Structure formats: structure tokens, C-alpha cells
Amino acid sequence: METDRLLGGSVDAASEDYGSYSGSEHAGTTGRRRKSHSVTEEYCTIERGSEANELYVQQAVVFIEDAIQYRSINHRVDASSLCLYRWYYSRICQWGLGLTIAVLLLLAFVERPSSLSSTSDLRHRPPPWEPPCGLTESIEILCLFIFSLDLIVKSYLIGWDEFRKNKWLIGYTAVLSLSIIDWVLSVSMVCDEKLRVRRIVRPFFLLQNSSLMKKTLKCIKRTLPEIASVILLLALHLALFTMIGMLLFAKNEDPEKNGEWEVYFRNLTTSLTSMLVLLTTANNPDVMIPAYSINRAYSIFFFAFSIIGTYCLMNLLTAIIYNQFRGYLLMAVQTSIIRRRLGIRAAFQVLSCQGAQQAAEERVQVDTVLDVMSRVKMKSYYRTAVVTEAQQYAELGYMDLRQFSKIFDELDKDRIKEHPPLPQYQSPLLQRLQDIFSHYYLTIFGNVVALANVICICTILVLNSEKATSQRDNIILEIINLCFILYYLFEMSVKIFAFGWRGYLSYRNNIFDGFLTLLLLVLQITIVATYRLEFTEWTSPLRNVMSLWEMVRLVNMLIVFRFLRIIPNIKLMALVASTLLDLVKNLRAFAGILVVVYYVFAVFGIWLFEGAIKPPPESSVITNTSMANISSNVSVQCGSYEQLEYWPNNFNDFASSIILLYDIMIVNNWHVFMEAYSRYTTEWSKVYFVCWWFTSSVMWVNLFVALILENFTYKWDRSHSCSVTDVEKIRYQTSVQLIFRGQIEEPTEEELICQLHRHPHLHLQESHTDTHTDTHTDTHTENSMQ
């Protein structure tokens, strides 16, 4: 689950407030607080005691955890609220909330129309299992109850004033209320309602629970106006060539010359659709063939349209999306960095109050910092790095703001994975063997053996490709596999001897190799135990659990996977693989938004087109044999939905809707679905398909390409300073923050202090005099800090 969920909406508002620190407001604010050394004198006026000191420590712990997770600090800071806050952000609560969201979204596969059938083919689909009324509704109301508790906790922790400013929480309330009302109506109608409005708003629960997705969505929203000019130019290009096409291919008196007009340019809607599909190259060269058959000069029209639209404007759109979205993503990263600095600054402030002996002091005790770090929930290697930096000031006994902020710079650094030292052997012979088996050449030789293994498997597969499984000579293949597995086992053993258990497991390649080696060994032993080396039974079709050929095939597939070990040893290949892994780890927000878009369009598709396409009669089912076998009473157009047998692609249930939307996103033959549903319903159905094509294939795919380019460019620049072995030994944990680190501007002290004064629950005072005036009224309030 992504972090910074609680204040995702207000965080964005906070970033906008930060961005608005210009003009008179900014000048006035910074003018009052240019000297940061006087801040403690203004804040620390509470009567100190053990309870107050403990509260300060708890506040510092939470503020540092907020900084680590890039969360906002605009929440209640009294003792009970801090306990609730930490409980809310505990792993079990967040995983529970994520599981609830997943369960609610997955209900769409079970609800009517149910996707629980073996096939979605309209001709062969059996009646799916439909859940009894009340089953899915009970699960759904339980999920809505959990969301209600989630909303109550969030609203309490940030306070009413912040709640009114938070558009996401207001939307959360509205969506939750709508879902409950619609659920009540559904139950009152005994689940016989035709339309479940709450299904279309379910993805909102996924959006509002992820700050990363909300940031990405905000970046996308801000990017849209920037690309509007190119989209308008693309629309003008499409309209212009559509009109030219209608003029060129008007209806002719000669019926033999009306092929282009009849199929692609009969009217404005058909012409516009034909040119739009040509923009995606899905109907090329079909759209050109009738005219090209008459006169080859007509090809100039289609060439000009494709070159200008497909290769110029569409690629220009990609470039603009990359450039504009990258800038807005940088702004989101800037906001995250500000939150981290603000959380660290707030932690220093409360700790300086906790440890101050005089009002004018602004420093924290090292022992207090170490106590706080022992309570903070964070990754162990970052905790060790921060504690190590803090212990450098142990002799001095305290640290100032600059030193305190510096120790948390460790959070912004890459994690370099260090391998354990090699085991020490006393015998010269063992030392010599250790040098041999730990040498890099052993890995290269292992890669050569893996390549030879794959070549042998390919050779045998080619020789046996025309043979049935019962006719194949499995003995030779088994002997070859056994020889290679024995080598892999030998290689694993000598590496464990050379590096030790901890050193062997510290390399990801060794974990991968060792796991496959043991799995191959287990499978080989299973084969021997199953067939007992009785050669007369080696070709038995079935024996116990599975046939010999199935076992051999499984072994060979694992060996092919083992060949992937060469990836880290080829620098460019390792770079590409690392980029793909980083995309999986760090671009979850894009995948989440894609899930939301798929979900919404799938629900809309079911509402609009469920049952629109009817299966053909039994006497006219088209088979795959040949067109000659089609019944005489069936007449279908070549390349149509019916002739291509696209019957499994429909909107009759949620699962088949997802597959159909994916097929359209790929844009290959997407016009076939659009044309079919326009025939079975109305021409207005094309609007739905065009909207999905634009959202998925144009917008989302281009955004994804932009992030791939940015990630790959960043890693490519870093790889120039690393050798192949460095890429293997160092694990870069690339994140979006690391990609833009060189372009991030650090917030000034005045800006951080200004945001601290805007905190809705700290109630920081403007001056020393005001502090003394309000001391008697605020000392009883545990959730305020002077």
C-alpha cells in the first residue's frame, strides 16, 4: 500500500499553500521570522514534567514517521490521538484496509451478471452460477462498514476545519453515502434491480486510499490542458482528410467504382470512423485497397494522412505528454520532499522543547534522539544509518538544528547492499580452492553450461516436433537433464563453500540458481522414483500423478528459466531488466489508475451493451474449417465480428468486458468490435469505443512510455560509472524521488516555520509575549504545544 493516505487531499492543498508563498503574504510572513534562532524562545513555555516530556517524545516519533513516509503532519498531536494515529498506520490496519478494497472490487466478478463460467463464448457458454440474494450484499455492507470506520478515524485525526478543506474526504463521504443508499435499495428490491449505481463509484475507494495515485491523477489533470492544442490539431487533421476523402470517393455512376464509397465513405459517420481507425493503422491497408485497385494515385491520399497523423502528430503528442507530465511529476516530488523536511523540522522543535533548560536554547539531547529512533517504525538499515550518524555527537551531548537535519539525510541515500566477508580457511589447499570457486570465471562457465543445456533441449525438441508424446525417446532427454543437474548441484555446493551460506544468499542470482537447482533435483528424483528406472515403462502415458513427458517438460522449462542468469552479466540487458523491475515496484500508481479506468469502462460497457450481441442459431454456427462449410443461409462479411468468430469478446459479464477492453487498447482489429456493436445497437455506441481508445491507448500508454523513458534515462546515466560486476553487486533502489533528486529545491527555514505556524493543532505563538499570555489557557490542553 502506498503511504501518505490520511492527508492525501489536504497534502495537495498544503502543497498549493506552499506554492502560494509569494507576494505580500510570503513577504510578511518571512519578514516576521527571518532569524530562526529565536523560534524556541517563542515556543517552549509549557511547564515541564515527565508527562509533558513523554508527549514531546511521542510527537517526535510520529513526526519522524510522517517524514519517512512522506505524510503530512497536519493531524492531532495529543497523546490519545497519536496512539490512534500510529495504530491506523500500522501494517495490519493498512493491509486490512487494502484487503477490504480488493474484496469490494472483486465482487464485480461474482455479482450479476456473474463471470463464473468456463467460457464467455456466446455459442457455448453455460448458464453461470449466480450467487443467492444477500451473499454478495452481506460482504459488501461489511466492506462499507469498514470504510465508514476509516472515514470516522480520518476525520477525527485531522479535525473538522481540515475536513472541510479536504475535497477527497468530502468526496469519500458522498461516495460512501451513495453506496449505502443504493445498497439499501438493492436489498429492498430483493436484488432484482437493473442498475447498481454503486458499482461505478467503487474505484473511488482505491483512489482515495493512495496518495501516490491521487498525485498522479492530479498530474494527469494538469497535463490535459497542455496537450489540448495537439489534440485539437489532430481533430482538425482528421476532419480535413475525412472531408477530402468524401470528395474523392463520392458515389459514382459506375457501380464497379463504388467499392471505396460503399464500404468506407458512405456517409460522414462511416468516413470519420474509417479515418480514425486508419490513424491507429488497424485497418491498413484494407481501407485503401478498393481505391488503389482502380488507380494507384489514390495511395497518395492515404500516405499523406498516415505520415502527418500517425507518425508526426501522434508522436508529437507523446513528446508533449512526456515533457509536460514530467514537469508536473517533479512538482509532486517537490511536495513530498517538503513534507519530509517539515516532519523532521517539527520533530526537532518538539524535542528542543522537551530538552531545553532555558527558553533561549535550540538544541536536542543525543540520548533523547536515540530514544526516539528506537521507537520509530522504519527499515532496519535506515535506522542503523541514522543512529550511527547521531552517535557521532554523543560526546558533545546535544545537536543543533543543522546537525539534527543532517543525520536524516541518510533517508535520501541509495541503499548499497554489502555482501558478507568470505569465510576464513586455515588450510592452504582450502584457501586455493576458495579462490578458484569464488572467481568470476566460474559464473561465466556456468552461463556457458546453461547455454549448452538450452541448445540441447532445443535440438531434441526440433527432432521430436513431429512425434507424438508416446513415440518420443525420453531416456536420452532424461540422461542429458540429469548430467546438467549434477553440474548445477556441484556449482551450488562449491559456491556455498567459497562464499559461505550468508554470502551465497546475499546474491540474488545465487538464490535464483539455488532454488531452480533444488527444484530440478526434486523433480528428477520424482521421475526416478515414479518410473523406478524400468525402461519398459518409460513410455507409459500415465503413471501415478503425471506422465513422464509432463515431468520432463516441466524440468526443461525450469532449465530454460535458469538461462536467464546471464541477464545480470550483460550490462545493457541488466539495465533493461532493472528498469522493468523498478517500473513494477515504483509505478504502482499508474497501474492503480489503469485498474480504475478499466473498472469504470467495464461497468459502463455492461450497462450499455449487455446482451446486445446474440449468438447465432445452431444451424448457422461458423466453424474454423473453411468458408465453404458455412451454411447456405448465412451471409457474413469478411473481416466482420461474426466471420472472425469473436463471440467470446462481449460485455455480458465483468471478466469478458475486461478482456474486450484490453483487445481494444491493443488497437489491433478494434474497429471490428466498434462496427459490430454499432450494428447491433446504434451509431452512438462508437462514442464509447473512441473514448476508451483515447483514454487507454493514447493517454495512459503515452504516460507509461514517458515514465519508462525517464526511468531508463536515469539508470543509463548512472550505469556509465558502473561495471558489469558493480551492477551485480550493488542493488539500486530507484524511486521517483531519486530520479528527480538533482532538480529538487530544498525548502528554506522560513518556509518551514511558516508551515509550522499553519498547523491546525500545534497553535504556535507569534511572539514571546503572546506565549506567556496564552500559557494558562493552553497548559491543560494536551494536544497543543507552545
Side-chain angles (χ1 to χ4, degrees), residues 60-73:
V61 169
V62 172
F63 287 151
I64 291 176
E65 289 177 348
D66 290 340
I68 293 172
Q69 302 296 339
Y70 300 106
R71 295 195 295 254
S72 172
I73 64 171

Side-chain angles (χ1 to χ4, degrees), residues 591-654:
I593 291 178
L594 186 63
V595 168
V596 170
V597 174
Y598 260 97
Y599 201 99
V600 171
F601 272 87
V603 173
F604 266 121
I606 294 175
W607 288 357
L608 296 174
F609 308 117
E610 181 187 359
I613 297 181
K614 304 298 181 181
E618 288 295 332
S619 60
S620 59
V621 173
I622 304 173
T623 62
N624 291 322
T625 55
S626 67
M627 292 297 295
N629 294 331
I630 301 177
S631 301
S632 59
N633 62 334
V634 176
S635 176
V636 293
Q637 182 181 358
C638 183
S640 64
Y641 180 94
E642 295 83 0
Q643 189 271 326
L644 294 173
E645 297 190 355
Y646 282 172
W647 303 107
N649 296 278
N650 52 70
F651 286 103
N652 288 1
D653 59 70
F654 190 79

Side-chain angles (χ1 to χ4, degrees), residues 44-65:
C44 301
T45 57
I46 289 182
E47 295 179 3
R48 296 174 183 85
S50 58
E51 294 183 1
N53 290 341
E54 178 63 23
L55 175 61
Y56 287 139
V57 172
Q58 293 178 10
Q59 291 173 343
V61 169
V62 172
F63 287 151
I64 291 176
E65 289 177 348

Side-chain angles (χ1 to χ4, degrees), residues 456-688:
C456 290
I457 293 174
C458 292
T459 303
I460 294 178
L461 290 177
V462 171
L463 295 177
N464 294 335
S465 59
E466 298 295 333
K467 298 179 180 179
T469 55
S470 59
Q471 299 175 345
R472 299 185 180 185
D473 190 357
N474 293 322
I475 299 178
I476 298 177
L477 188 58
E478 278 300 307
I479 294 175
I480 294 176
N481 287 340
L482 180 60
C483 294
F484 281 108
I485 290 172
L486 291 177
Y487 171 78
Y488 298 147
L489 189 62
F490 166 77
E491 182 187 37
M492 183 181 70
S493 302
V494 298
K495 283 189 174 181
I496 293 175
F497 163 77
F499 296 101
W501 274 108
R502 292 182 57 194
Y504 179 83
L505 296 177
S506 65
Y507 292 89
R508 290 174 295 172
N509 279 354
N510 289 342
I511 297 176
F512 179 75
D513 290 346
F515 173 76
L516 287 186
T517 298
L518 294 178
L519 195 56
L520 290 170
L521 183 62
V522 170
L523 285 175
Q524 196 69 33
I525 294 175
T526 303
I527 292 175
V528 174
T530 301
Y531 294 92
R532 306 175 185 275
L533 292 179
E534 299 175 6
F535 297 141
T536 59
E537 299 184 4
W538 275 63
T539 58
S540 176
L542 287 175
R543 185 67 182 260
N544 293 342
V545 181
M546 63 175 66
S547 67
L548 173 63
W549 172 246
E550 290 174 340
M551 289 187 177
V552 172
R553 185 171 55 183
L554 183 59
V555 170
N556 290 333
M557 286 195 319
L558 294 176
I559 292 175
V560 172
F561 276 115
R562 179 184 170 84
F563 182 65
L564 297 178
R565 60 180 286 170
I566 69 168
I567 290 178
N569 301 114
I570 302 176
K571 189 172 182 179
L572 182 59
M573 190 180 297
L575 194 63
V576 173
S578 178
T579 302
L580 294 176
L581 291 177
D582 285 334
L583 288 174
V584 174
K585 291 186 297 182
N586 300 308
L587 298 183
R588 294 172 296 175
F590 278 85
I593 291 178
L594 186 63
V595 168
V596 170
V597 174
Y598 260 97
Y599 201 99
V600 171
F601 272 87
V603 173
F604 266 121
I606 294 175
W607 288 357
L608 296 174
F609 308 117
E610 181 187 359
I613 297 181
K614 304 298 181 181
E618 288 295 332
S619 60
S620 59
V621 173
I622 304 173
T623 62
N624 291 322
T625 55
S626 67
M627 292 297 295
N629 294 331
I630 301 177
S631 301
S632 59
N633 62 334
V634 176
S635 176
V636 293
Q637 182 181 358
C638 183
S640 64
Y641 180 94
E642 295 83 0
Q643 189 271 326
L644 294 173
E645 297 190 355
Y646 282 172
W647 303 107
N649 296 278
N650 52 70
F651 286 103
N652 288 1
D653 59 70
F654 190 79
S656 60
S657 301
I658 294 293
I659 300 300
L660 178 54
L661 292 176
Y662 172 78
D663 292 337
I664 297 174
M665 188 178 73
I666 302 301
V667 303
N668 185 34
N669 275 358
W670 72 287
H671 59 287
V672 175
F673 304 108
M674 183 168 57
E675 186 272 337
Y677 277 94
S678 66
R679 281 191 290 108
Y680 283 97
T681 56
T682 66
E683 289 287 337
W684 288 101
S685 63
K686 294 181 179 179
V687 176
Y688 171 86

Side-chain angles (χ1 to χ4, degrees), residues 87 371 388 647 784:
W87 173 83
D371 180 34
T388 302
W647 303 107
S784 64

Side-chain angles (χ1 to χ4, degrees), residues 249 260 288-299 302-303:
F249 309 114
E260 192 75 33
M288 183 179 66
I289 293 301
Y292 184 63
S293 300
I294 298 174
N295 191 329
R296 68 180 70 205
Y298 284 126
S299 61
F302 297 99
F303 289 168

